[in-house]
Amino acid sequence: MSLASTTPFYSYDSSIEVGAKDQKLMMDFQQAPKKGGLKTMPFIMANNVPANEIFEKVASTGLLANMINYLTKDYHMTAAKGGTVLFLWSALSNFLPIFGASLSDSYLGRFRVITLGSFISLAVKLVQSINSLSITPPA
């Protein structure tokens, strides 16, 4: 059995002539620090625990049932119009993260998007707090 038949097809063949630029790229690739792995696992688990997602979905579903009662009784909407409002709210809250993720990955970067989202969230909460002082449901 020859040595060539026992080596995997992806092994480095030293007989191939490699230019200086390619050799430098290979050295940089081999010496680059490995990111991720088990060191980052606690951070991933702390932020993406499946139980957290389950509790979020349960809270969201419970909110929909209470919100339809609120929209029909206090805001005097029909059930169809209230259902449409809740459908649009649910659709936006489920699909906007996809838009945000693609924006983050393609253009802005993770930390800029988190910072921008935090400031936008703060601004929205401030506007809601100021507006909630004078808004009352129709009689």
Side-chain angles (χ1 to χ4, degrees), residues 26-80:
M26 285 177 21
M27 292 298 289
D28 289 344
F29 178 74
Q30 291 171 352
Q31 293 174 355
K34 187 176 178 183
K35 295 182 181 179
L38 291 177
K39 283 195 271 186
T40 58
M41 206 52 140
F43 300 106
I44 293 170
M45 293 306 291
N47 291 324
N48 297 323
V49 176
N52 188 22
E53 296 293 326
I54 292 170
F55 290 140
E56 180 189 357
K57 289 297 176 189
V58 168
S60 215
T61 305
L63 179 77
L64 292 176
N66 289 327
M67 192 60 118
I68 194 71
N69 285 334
Y70 181 73
L71 291 176
T72 55
K73 291 188 172 132
D74 291 344
Y75 279 96
H76 306 294
M77 288 184 179
T78 62

Side-chain angles (χ1 to χ4, degrees), residues 107-121:
Y107 300 107
L108 298 175
R110 175 178 46 188
F111 297 111
R112 284 188 191 145
V113 169
I114 290 172
T115 304
L116 181 66
S118 297
F119 282 122
I120 289 173
S121 179

